[in-house]
Amino acid sequence: MPIGMIDQIKTPKQETHGVGAFIWILAPVLLAFSLSQFFRSAQALLAESLRVELSTTPEQLGLISGSFHFAFALMQIPVGVMLDRYGPRLTNGVMMIVTVVGVMIFANAHSVVGLMAGQAVIGLGCSAAFMAALVLASRWVAPEKFAATSGLIVAFSLLGVLASATPLAALIEFRGWREAYYGLAGLSALSVVLTFVMVRDAPPNHSFHSRKGETVVEALRGMVSVWKNRQVWFLIGVAFFSYPAILTVRGLWGGPYLQDVFHLGAVDVGNVLLVMTIGMIIGPPAYGQLSRLMGGAAHRLIIFAVLAAAVLCFLQALVGQTALGVATVLLVAHGLLGSCATLNYAASRAAVPEHLIGRALTTVNLATFGGLFVLQSIAGVIIGRFEPGASEGYQVMFVFLGCGLAVAGGAFWWGTRRRAT
């Protein structure tokens, strides 16, 4: 099938069900996804506490944060098979039990290795939440509404990112980061209970209920079928840079950048990142609605989002130490215009048969979190090559992110255009 037809794939009609029933079923998974968003973003506010308490270097901070994303990415292929074979309820419920364990390890860690281990276990546990939500959406809503629905799912989950900004900064100042994580362990345990009580894998009469269980060989064949899909490979390239670039800033290095370059305190840093997060909340549902209004024109919106993010990163590298307002506007614009991840997932969901949706979504998600591990780690190495607190390190980091986004966006545009002709 031509790559240029990404936006024109026909999907079979399916029975839809009440919005209220879908929201009830989705709510526990959204809680788990919001917690996942919190854990992957909290390092931007924890960075200063860890530097003071444990004397962590920029390279170590990159490894601590990257451990979450590495473990998360490592689990994407197994999670895809589990979602298709066992369903979102069992998969997410079991994996969130692992999250509880990881949060407790992190909260009690007193070394960089302990923090990395805790983050890695949290990443393993959170690895199913988003994909479970998307698989539920693919079964409970009409195909033409999937992009808009997935955008709303991402927007709601970003409440977790909001909580990791000013609220987390205030809580750290009041009670300390360890006690904050004890509370998060309790919330994670609550999501486990709610998942098993409230979530249903598919509507009545859905083909999922009459499926024949796959053998290991059949599961692997399905995975190979997804990997051979050229549309999926083009989306992998974009996924590796687009959302990872945003979370490299918002999830880790945005906090040290604002502290070192503009000399802001923890709460002021939280306020700036909070505003950036608002842009990230508005972006996904806006792109989802635009895609629907444009007849599913996902690939044009993907190209715009990635190239716009590249330009914003280059501009961020030029911001001087006195231009906090300009820096804030650019961060917000990056969060708003660069949040095209839901379009990637909508395009990958449309590229494969229904029984392979979980594996297609997690393959693209694997690229996303593999990119997060790589970009955050490289950014740490870049910043660590300069004097502590030097603005030049962050400037080079933004140039690096901009170059990666420009290459990814250009390659996607060239590939889809070439296949369409």
Side-chain angles (χ1 to χ4, degrees):
M1 185 179 295
I3 302 298
M5 300 297 289
I6 285 178
D7 303 311
Q8 304 174 26
I9 297 173
K10 302 293 185 182
T11 52
K13 294 289 184 182
Q14 68 183 53
E15 184 182 357
T16 57
H17 301 267
V19 173
F22 175 59
I23 293 174
W24 173 264
I25 287 165
L26 187 66
V29 182
L30 280 180
L31 173 58
F33 185 24
S34 297
L35 287 166
S36 174
Q37 295 278 44
F38 180 97
F39 292 129
R40 75 184 57 157
S41 304
Q43 305 309 304
L45 268 295
L46 291 179
E48 185 61 21
S49 296
L50 298 180
R51 286 198 292 195
V52 171
E53 182 177 332
L54 299 174
S55 301
T56 52
T57 66
E59 293 88 346
Q60 289 171 333
L61 287 172
L63 289 173
I64 292 169
S65 182
S67 297
F68 177 103
H69 306 303
F70 179 77
F72 194 110
L74 194 66
M75 279 300 297
Q76 288 309 292
I77 300 306
V79 161
V81 175
M82 291 164 65
L83 287 169
D84 287 332
R85 186 169 184 178
Y86 301 113
R89 178 175 175 267
L90 182 60
T91 301
N92 187 64
V94 170
M95 297 309 294
M96 284 305 293
I97 294 174
V98 178
T99 299
V100 176
V101 175
V103 176
M104 293 303 296
I105 292 173
F106 189 85
N108 289 282
H110 293 277
S111 68
V112 171
V113 173
L115 293 171
M116 288 177 63
Q119 279 289 91
V121 177
I122 294 172
L124 289 174
C126 291
S127 61
F130 183 28
M131 296 297 99
L134 292 187
V135 171
L136 286 172
S138 74
R139 294 171 180 171
W140 284 87
V141 304
E144 63 272 15
K145 297 180 180 179
F146 181 82
T149 302
S150 60
L152 290 172
I153 288 171
V154 171
F156 184 89
S157 75
L158 288 172
L159 292 175
V161 182
L162 277 176
S164 72
T166 306
L168 178 60
L171 189 57
I172 289 173
E173 288 197 347
F174 179 61
R175 301 294 297 181
W177 68 271
R178 294 186 189 275
E179 288 199 30
Y181 266 68
Y182 289 138
L184 291 164
L187 274 178
S188 300
L190 176 63
S191 76
V192 173
V193 175
L194 294 179
T195 294
F196 285 119
V197 171
M198 296 168 58
V199 173
R200 297 295 179 267
D201 289 318
N205 304 319
H206 191 277
S207 59
F208 175 81
H209 299 296
S210 59
R211 74 196 187 288
K212 179 184 176 182
E214 288 184 320
T215 66
V216 174
V217 173
E218 289 171 337
L220 292 175
R221 285 176 180 168
M223 198 69 254
V224 170
S225 177
V226 170
W227 289 344
K228 290 170 64 177
N229 189 311
R230 293 182 178 180
Q231 298 173 50
V232 173
W233 278 104
F234 273 88
L235 293 166
I236 284 173
V238 170
F240 189 88
F241 284 99
S242 56
Y243 199 52
I246 294 176
L247 281 186
T248 294
V249 178
R250 173 58 188 85
L252 178 57
W253 294 112
Y257 164 67
L258 294 168
Q259 289 165 336
D260 292 340
V261 176
F262 299 102
H263 310 294
L264 299 185
V267 174
D268 289 330
V269 168
N271 290 336
V272 174
L273 295 181
L274 182 69
V275 179
M276 181 182 181
T277 305
I278 292 172
M280 294 169 63
I281 290 174
I282 297 171
Y287 276 129
Q289 291 297 335
L290 280 173
S291 176
R292 185 176 64 84
L293 293 174
M294 294 171 65
H299 82 284
R300 284 175 285 173
L301 290 174
I302 290 172
I303 293 168
F304 168 79
V306 176
L307 294 182
V311 171
L312 290 166
C313 282
F314 290 135
L315 292 175
Q316 197 89 48
L318 299 176
V319 173
Q321 297 182 9
T322 60
L324 176 60
V326 175
T328 301
V329 169
L330 291 173
L331 289 173
V332 174
H334 190 183
L336 175 65
L337 298 179
S339 298
C340 67
T342 54
L343 300 175
N344 300 338
Y345 295 121
S348 61
R349 178 255 183 271
V352 299
E354 198 277 337
H355 71 285
L356 296 178
I357 287 174
R359 276 161 279 196
L361 292 173
T362 52
T363 295
V364 173
N365 216 34
L366 169 62
T368 299
F369 283 88
L372 268 169
F373 175 74
V374 172
L375 296 190
Q376 287 192 348
S377 298
I378 292 177
V381 172
I382 290 172
I383 294 168
R385 290 293 179 270
F386 294 83
E387 291 295 322
S391 62
E392 292 82 4
Y394 297 103
Q395 290 175 325
V396 175
M397 178 194 74
F398 281 116
V399 170
F400 161 69
L401 294 177
C403 289
L405 287 163
V407 170
F412 187 83
W413 171 81
W414 177 82
T416 53
R417 180 175 178 271
R418 182 170 177 267
R419 281 285 174 176
T421 57

Short mmCIF file of all heavy atoms in Angstrom, two decimals, residues 17-25:
data_model
loop_
_atom_site.label_atom_id
_atom_site.label_comp_id
_atom_site.label_asym_id
_atom_site.label_seq_id
_atom_site.Cartn_x
_atom_site.Cartn_y
_atom_site.Cartn_z
N HIS A 17 -20.86 2.96 21.26
CA HIS A 17 -21.60 2.85 22.50
C HIS A 17 -21.59 4.19 23.22
O HIS A 17 -20.90 5.12 22.83
CB HIS A 17 -21.00 1.74 23.37
CG HIS A 17 -21.03 0.40 22.69
ND1 HIS A 17 -22.06 -0.50 22.86
CD2 HIS A 17 -20.18 -0.17 21.80
CE1 HIS A 17 -21.84 -1.57 22.12
NE2 HIS A 17 -20.70 -1.39 21.48
N GLY A 18 -22.36 4.30 24.27
CA GLY A 18 -22.55 5.56 24.96
C GLY A 18 -21.24 6.15 25.47
O GLY A 18 -20.36 5.43 25.93
N VAL A 19 -21.19 7.50 25.42
CA VAL A 19 -20.00 8.20 25.89
C VAL A 19 -19.79 7.95 27.38
O VAL A 19 -18.67 7.75 27.85
CB VAL A 19 -20.13 9.71 25.61
CG1 VAL A 19 -18.96 10.47 26.24
CG2 VAL A 19 -20.18 9.97 24.11
N GLY A 20 -20.89 7.96 28.14
CA GLY A 20 -20.78 7.75 29.58
C GLY A 20 -20.16 6.42 29.93
O GLY A 20 -19.30 6.34 30.83
N ALA A 21 -20.57 5.36 29.23
CA ALA A 21 -20.02 4.03 29.49
C ALA A 21 -18.54 3.99 29.17
O ALA A 21 -17.73 3.41 29.91
CB ALA A 21 -20.77 2.99 28.67
N PHE A 22 -18.15 4.63 28.06
CA PHE A 22 -16.74 4.64 27.67
C PHE A 22 -15.89 5.40 28.67
O PHE A 22 -14.80 4.96 29.05
CB PHE A 22 -16.60 5.25 26.27
CG PHE A 22 -15.18 5.40 25.82
CD1 PHE A 22 -14.35 4.28 25.72
CD2 PHE A 22 -14.66 6.64 25.50
CE1 PHE A 22 -13.03 4.42 25.30
CE2 PHE A 22 -13.35 6.78 25.08
CZ PHE A 22 -12.53 5.66 24.99
N ILE A 23 -16.39 6.55 29.14
CA ILE A 23 -15.63 7.33 30.12
C ILE A 23 -15.45 6.55 31.41
O ILE A 23 -14.37 6.55 32.01
CB ILE A 23 -16.34 8.68 30.38
CG1 ILE A 23 -16.28 9.56 29.13
CG2 ILE A 23 -15.70 9.40 31.57
CD1 ILE A 23 -17.06 10.85 29.24
N TRP A 24 -16.49 5.87 31.87
CA TRP A 24 -16.43 5.07 33.09
C TRP A 24 -15.37 3.99 32.96
O TRP A 24 -14.55 3.77 33.86
CB TRP A 24 -17.78 4.46 33.37
CG TRP A 24 -17.81 3.47 34.51
CD1 TRP A 24 -17.71 2.11 34.42
CD2 TRP A 24 -17.92 3.76 35.91
NE1 TRP A 24 -17.76 1.53 35.66
CE2 TRP A 24 -17.89 2.52 36.60
CE3 TRP A 24 -18.03 4.93 36.65
CZ2 TRP A 24 -17.97 2.43 37.99
CZ3 TRP A 24 -18.12 4.84 38.03
CH2 TRP A 24 -18.08 3.61 38.68
N ILE A 25 -15.36 3.32 31.82
CA ILE A 25 -14.42 2.22 31.59
C ILE A 25 -12.99 2.75 31.44
O ILE A 25 -12.02 2.14 31.89
CB ILE A 25 -14.86 1.43 30.34
CG1 ILE A 25 -16.10 0.60 30.67
CG2 ILE A 25 -13.74 0.55 29.80
CD1 ILE A 25 -16.82 0.09 29.46
#
